[in-house]
């Protein structure tokens, strides 16, 4: 939504090690914005095109995400018809 469809996120997939002799280390490299943060495409990216997604908050996104299964495309709910 923030790139107006220019960059599409890939599905996150992680596989645990199958070897009992190796440990796995996971680290967080990003964090979430505050719930009231506005999610929208910057105007600079919309100079030549119309927005594909309505403006929404991070709280609205998370609420929708938790209400649906993993297979559901999360941003479809916010697309402008």
């Amino acid at each position: 939504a923030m790139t107006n469809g220019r960059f599409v996120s890939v599905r996150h997939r992680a596989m645990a090690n199958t070897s009992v002799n190796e440990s796995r280390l996971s680290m967080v490299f990003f964090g979430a914005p505050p719930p009231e943060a506005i999610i929208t495409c910057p105007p600079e990216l919309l100079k030549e095109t119309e927005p594909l997604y309505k403006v929404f908050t991070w709280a609205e996104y998370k609420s929708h995400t938790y209400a649906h299964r993993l297979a559901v495309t999360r941003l479809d709910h916010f697309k402008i018809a």
Side-chain angles (χ1 to χ4, degrees):
M2 294 176 69
T3 66
N4 203 41
R6 184 174 178 189
F7 298 110
V8 180
S9 178
V10 297
R11 284 203 186 269
H12 174 76
R13 297 171 193 235
M15 294 180 58
N17 294 333
T18 56
S19 172
V20 294
N21 298 326
E22 296 179 36
S23 62
R24 177 175 175 215
L25 176 65
S26 295
M27 297 177 72
V28 175
F29 287 98
F30 56 88
E36 65 278 2
I38 302 296
I39 310 298
T40 188
C41 185
E44 296 83 13
L45 295 179
L46 295 174
K47 288 181 180 177
E48 299 176 12
T49 185
E50 295 294 319
L52 298 177
Y53 302 94
K54 65 181 180 178
V55 177
F56 54 93
T57 65
W58 181 249
E60 290 172 315
Y61 177 78
K62 294 309 287 182
S63 176
H64 176 74
T65 297
Y66 292 141
H68 295 84
R69 297 179 16 199
L70 285 174
V72 174
T73 302
R74 307 288 168 74
L75 285 178
D76 282 353
H77 176 74
F78 301 100
K79 273 195 170 179
I80 296 173

